[in-house]
């Protein structure tokens, strides 16, 4: 089976500082891929490149056989790559349902026909349909995270980039969000998931990629990564002590 995403030697410099240094990996269709590493490892920079909000200095990004290196965010979204943000970014002047309608109207298969009804169906799927008419600015942190996922799903992505969707949530709030990620993956969407909560990310990921100082340090099954001495020394051991 051909990879849904292939990145090859992706590098990014900011004013001479190396944020990413020749990062390469493939994602097979239909899995949940964890992306972990210390703060400053380059995880969010990589997601930003894949989402089209910044461009790589060098290297290639191939999605479903199409070279999208350096493509802008609207091109990535039209191709089927969409991200959520660690800090939710709803359109605060719009209702919850209207936020989802934006994705329906301007996503990969734009349509205004029955947008309100389709938005409510997506909100039901993520568990916040009862808040459809509420101002998005009034939502709790947990519900804002669900709205982030709903807005992304409205664009009908093939690859969903999730940036710390469980950050700031209690353990009670985290469990249903993880179940939702599994539900999204089971419906056919591939997920690349960044998270500092190791218990959370290891519980849902089929494969884990570890980054450190802008480079790929290791990758493998959750079990293999957690027992890798270089990963323990660079990240897991340090995390366990904090």
């Amino acid at each position: 089976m051909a990879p849904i995403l292939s990145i090859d030697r992706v590098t990014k410099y900011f004013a001479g500082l190396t944020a990413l240094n020749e990062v390469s990996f493939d994602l097979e269709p239909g899995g949940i891929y964890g992306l972990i590493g210390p703060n400053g490892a380059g995880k969010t920079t990589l997601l930003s490149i894949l989402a089209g909000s910044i461009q790589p200095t060098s290297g290639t990004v191939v999605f479903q056989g199409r070279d999208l290196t350096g493509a802008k965010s609207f091109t990535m979204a039209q191709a089927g790559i969409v991200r959520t943000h660690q800090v939710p970014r709803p359109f605060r002047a719009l209702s919850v349902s209207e936020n989802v309608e934006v994705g329906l109207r301007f996503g990969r298969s734009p349509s205004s026909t029955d947008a309100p009804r389709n938005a409510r169906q997506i909100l039901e799927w993520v568990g916040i349909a009862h808040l459809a008419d509420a101002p998005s600015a009034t939502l709790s942190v947990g519900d804002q995270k669900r709205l982030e996922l709903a807005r992304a799903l409205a664009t009908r992505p093939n690859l969903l980039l999730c940036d710390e969707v469980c950050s700031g949530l209690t353990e009670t709030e985290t469990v249903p969000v993880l179940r939702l990620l599994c539900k999204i993956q089971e419906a056919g969407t591939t997920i690349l998931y960044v998270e500092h909560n190791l218990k959370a990310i290891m519980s849902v990921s089929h494969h884990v990629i570890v980054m450190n100082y802008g480079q790929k340090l290791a990758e493998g099954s959750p079990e293999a990564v957690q027992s890798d001495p270089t990963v323990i020394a660079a990240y897991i051991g340090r995390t366990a002590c904090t």
Side-chain angles (χ1 to χ4, degrees):
M1 183 180 296
I4 189 172
L5 176 75
S6 293
I7 67 170
D8 183 37
R9 294 174 291 177
V10 168
T11 298
K12 179 63 180 178
Y13 299 125
F14 290 106
L17 298 176
T18 305
L20 294 174
N21 186 13
E22 298 197 340
V23 177
S24 302
F25 60 77
D26 295 338
L27 303 185
E28 301 297 325
I32 298 179
Y33 292 83
L35 184 62
I36 66 172
N39 288 329
K43 307 181 297 297
T44 296
T45 298
L46 180 57
L47 287 196
S48 296
I49 287 173
L50 296 178
S53 54
I54 62 174
Q55 284 67 55
T57 304
S58 62
T60 59
V61 175
V62 177
F63 180 66
Q64 293 184 317
R66 179 182 174 189
D67 189 343
L68 293 178
T69 307
K72 301 293 186 180
S73 56
F74 62 86
T75 301
M76 293 299 198
Q78 290 291 326
I81 303 177
V82 177
R83 74 175 294 181
T84 68
H85 294 87
Q86 179 182 351
V87 178
R89 299 180 180 181
F91 297 104
R92 299 177 70 82
L94 301 182
S95 71
V96 169
S97 181
E98 288 168 339
N99 266 271
V100 179
E101 287 182 44
V102 172
L104 291 167
R105 295 175 188 273
F106 299 100
R108 190 155 61 105
S109 302
S111 173
S112 59
T113 305
D114 292 329
R117 180 174 61 84
N118 292 335
R120 189 169 289 270
Q121 289 177 342
I122 293 171
L123 291 171
E124 287 175 356
W125 208 63
V126 303
I128 55 172
H130 61 292
L131 298 170
D133 298 323
S136 62
T138 66
L139 298 186
S140 68
V141 173
D143 288 336
Q144 286 187 46
K145 298 280 188 175
R146 287 175 178 269
L147 177 57
E148 274 286 293
L149 288 169
R151 294 197 314 151
L153 292 173
T155 69
R156 299 178 176 87
N158 289 327
L159 175 60
L160 178 62
L161 311 174
C162 291
D163 193 359
E164 297 196 44
V165 291
C166 292
S167 175
L169 302 185
T170 66
E171 186 170 352
T172 301
E173 292 171 323
T174 295
V175 172
V177 172
L178 294 177
R179 288 177 183 153
L180 179 56
L181 290 183
C182 292
K183 188 177 176 182
I184 293 168
Q185 178 265 326
E186 289 165 2
T189 301
T190 305
I191 298 174
L192 181 59
Y193 176 29
V194 171
E195 187 65 71
H196 278 293
N197 183 331
L198 289 180
K199 180 180 178 182
I201 199 167
M202 294 298 182
S203 71
V204 297
S205 296
H206 304 110
H207 190 88
V208 177
I209 300 159
V210 187
M211 294 183 63
N212 194 34
Y213 295 114
Q215 297 179 300
K216 185 180 76 174
L217 180 65
E219 66 175 308
S221 68
E223 296 77 16
V225 164
Q226 290 180 92
S227 61
D228 187 319
T230 60
V231 177
I232 293 172
Y235 181 54
I236 292 179
R238 183 191 314 172
T239 302
C241 294
T242 59

